[in-house]
Amino acid sequence: MQKKVRLNEAGNEYIGHLESRLCAPGTIRSRLTTIKQFRDVAGDIYLHDITPYHVDQWRAKYGWGPSTMNTKLGNMKSFFRWARNRGYMPPDNDPLFGHTRSKVPVREKHRIPQEKWNDLLENVPHPLERILIACGLYLMARSSELINIRLKDVDLDAGEVLVYRFKTKRHDRLPICLELDAELRRWLTWYLSKCETTPESYLLPNRQKNHTLRDPRTGRLKRLDPEAPLNPYQPLSRPHRNVQHVLRTLGYTLEGEGGHTL
């Protein structure tokens, strides 16, 4: 017998199902956001009442680009498959029928020539932004991986950094080149002079509130305040914004990029 469950209740149950399977937090957030967006269009209706019409309205409202749309369709496909398995939707009901993946056009990525790396670092105004840029350039790791490095993971004597890869769910030991070694020593000297740390402290710490300075003429946020206190027990939040801020200041035009540019 088919069970009558509304979209909101089913969405909460589905998220619990994903958490029990130990899905990555990013995956869970992505699917939860997609379900909420679908509910905002279709309303909190019973799952067995969902039709292709609701999918059409959902797509029309948001008008995502090909890559994002493919992700959203994949999220809803997984949710509907789960709902059919639970008996919340008829086994032959596929509201996504006819909605196929879009071809994503190849877009040339921004690249910073290696010969300009030194100039880039020398023109970064804040030490925290400088070490973020340096780690991105020389470790070639994702921003989400960089911000989770702790001081205990950095071994300058061995010339290695222990990095956790969320994609593969394993640790990698990445080499510290001479240039990064100099940047790390410079950063740690400044960092340790500003606050007390432990081996569990984050290499790239977050900042306390009121950490930005404003341009007195325009009122816009201008740069990080070098005197703003750090929070060594909280990782740097939204690192891509720091990268974008630095690169834009130096004349690079970015669209939808940040840490990946490095």
Side-chain angles (χ1 to χ4, degrees), residues 16-121:
H17 166 71
L18 296 178
E19 291 173 343
S20 70
R21 292 174 52 206
L22 303 180
C23 289
T27 299
I28 295 175
R29 285 194 302 270
S30 175
R31 296 189 181 182
L32 177 60
T33 299
T34 303
I35 294 171
K36 287 182 176 179
Q37 290 167 333
F38 188 86
R39 187 191 61 203
D40 288 343
V41 175
D44 192 19
I45 62 176
Y46 288 111
L47 263 63
H48 63 73
D49 290 334
I50 296 176
T51 68
Y53 170 81
H54 297 110
V55 176
D56 292 340
Q57 295 298 305
W58 168 65
R59 290 192 63 166
K61 175 179 179 178
Y62 290 101
W64 293 295
S67 180
T68 302
M69 182 59 72
N70 289 343
T71 299
K72 300 295 184 180
L73 287 175
N75 288 343
M76 292 307 297
K77 181 178 181 180
S78 297
F79 174 61
F80 289 150
R81 183 169 58 243
W82 170 86
R84 287 192 293 269
N85 181 266
R86 290 292 175 98
Y88 299 157
M89 299 177 71
D92 58 348
N93 179 21
D94 183 11
L96 293 175
F97 178 78
H99 292 270
T100 58
R101 292 176 60 86
S102 302
K103 185 176 181 180
V104 180
V106 178
R107 182 168 63 90
E108 183 67 21
K109 295 288 186 179
H110 290 283
R111 290 178 173 82
I112 303 173
Q114 185 176 358
E115 60 269 17
K116 293 186 177 181
W117 288 7
N118 286 336
D119 291 339
L120 172 62
L121 291 170

Side-chain angles (χ1 to χ4, degrees), residues 127-128 131-132 134-136 139 145-156 160-163 176 180 183-185 187-192 195 197-206 230-236:
L128 178 55
I131 192 60
L132 171 63
C135 287
L139 291 179
E145 298 166 347
L146 295 178
I147 63 173
N148 280 282
I149 298 174
R150 298 178 187 262
L151 293 183
K152 66 180 182 180
D153 299 325
V154 181
D155 189 339
L156 293 176
E160 293 180 336
V161 178
L162 188 65
V163 176
I176 298 176
L180 181 57
E183 292 294 335
L184 285 169
R185 293 179 188 275
W187 160 247
L188 291 173
T189 299
W190 185 88
Y191 183 14
L192 299 181
C195 58
T197 63
T198 71
E200 295 295 329
S201 299
Y202 287 95
L203 175 67
L204 304 177
N206 208 10
L230 303 172
N231 183 355
Y233 302 106
Q234 186 179 55
L236 178 64

